Structures are given as structure tokens and as C-alpha cells.
Amino acid sequence: QEVLALLPFLQGLFFLEPDTITDPILLEHAVPKIKLLRECAERENMSVAQLAIAYMRDIKGVTSLVLGADTAEQVKMNADYFNTKAISEETNSIIKKAFADVDIPAIMTVLSRPKK
């Protein structure tokens, strides 16, 4: 049985600057989580991308991650992320608890709106 994990970066949401986000839905549901991920990444001495990949990669039962890329350089960077060390159990637990109640459909509705 295969389990694919899609959108580990939530369509780039994790890379946005939290202080520049103005959408009320993202302010409520995403900004606190982005800030938490940055704190966790710093504690683990890795980038947010490395943290997201390590977290998703190491979930029991996940057999594949699907990552998007627009350039050859992004493909290489994505491949390199898989060599990231495992995150600590403490950080894993913090992330799991923090994201248990996230309203992913509301966030994705905002992120999928046409760009102005």
C-alpha cells in the first residue's frame, strides 16, 4: 500500500513573510503556524523546507512525497531536502499538535484564488 503526501509546503505558504500577510483567513489560520514552523526550524538548525520535508517524510506509512518545481534548480533543491536529518521527537510533537486543528480547506481556498 502506498501513501502519497501532497503539498508539504502548502503551495509556498510556508515561505511567505508572515508580517506581510493581510488576508484575514491566513492571518487567523496560517500566520501563527508559519511563525511556529520558523521557530521549530531554527531549533532544529534547518530551513523551513528541510523541516517540512523531514516531518512529512518520516510519518509512519508515508511512502512518497510529491513536490512541485518550476526549474531544474528547484528539482535539485527538492532532492537535496530528502537528505535532511530527522527532527527531534519534541519538535515532531509540537508540529503534530499545532497542525491538528488547522483549517486546510480555508487556507487552500485563499491560496488557490487567481493572483491579481
Side-chain angles (χ1 to χ4, degrees), residues 4-87:
L4 301 175
L6 301 170
L7 303 171
F9 304 139
L10 282 179
Q11 291 187 306
L13 177 68
F14 293 166
F15 306 118
L16 296 178
E17 183 56 50
D19 296 332
T20 65
I21 294 173
T22 58
D23 183 275
I25 292 171
L26 296 182
L27 284 170
E28 178 183 351
H29 297 285
V31 168
K33 307 307 183 189
I34 295 169
K35 290 180 178 182
L36 176 74
L37 284 178
R38 289 178 177 204
E39 292 169 12
C40 287
E42 188 174 319
R43 182 179 322 117
E44 294 288 330
N45 196 29
M46 57 178 58
S47 70
V48 170
Q50 289 171 315
L51 180 79
I53 294 297
Y55 179 81
M56 297 295 291
R57 175 197 66 206
D58 296 341
I59 293 174
K60 184 178 172 127
V62 171
T63 58
S64 303
L65 297 179
V66 178
L67 306 176
D70 294 322
T71 66
E73 181 62 26
Q74 287 175 338
V75 172
K76 182 184 177 325
M77 284 175 30
N78 286 346
D80 289 344
Y81 292 146
F82 286 91
N83 296 321
T84 301
K85 67 179 174 111
I87 60 176

